[in-house]
Amino acid sequence: TYRMDNQRNHSITLTNRKDCVLTGVTKTVLTSPDKIIVTSVMGDVVVTGKQLRMTSYDEKTGDMSFSGEIDGIKYSASKTSLVKRLLK
């Protein structure tokens, strides 16, 4: 979602632990059936679960939606890039 000053907002909407909508996504790092990792304007977001699948992603607006059995959503606290840590 874009604000008037072109700064993106970030939000997470989770419905019944099955459907999720993220806004403010700047990059998709990983999508797999048990983990989705994205970079948002507020940092890296790691979603864990089962049978996860991305249902839509609009790179222009930063809106992403996915579904599955969602077990957890966590922000990465590390200053090191998540991509660099994954490639080690």
Side-chain angles (χ1 to χ4, degrees), residues 20-50:
C20 188
V21 176
L22 297 174
T23 65
V25 174
T26 57
K27 181 166 72 170
T28 302
V29 177
L30 172 74
T31 59
S32 72
D34 61 345
K35 189 178 284 187
I36 293 176
I37 303 173
V38 299
T39 300
S40 78
V41 296
M42 299 299 289
D44 294 331
V45 180
V46 180
V47 180
T48 56
K50 297 178 186 97

Side-chain angles (χ1 to χ4, degrees), residues 27 29-30 37 44 80-88:
K27 181 166 72 170
V29 177
L30 172 74
I37 303 173
D44 294 331
T80 306
S81 166
L82 186 59
V83 174
K84 287 180 184 175
R85 287 190 320 233
L86 286 172
L87 296 176
K88 283 186 178 183

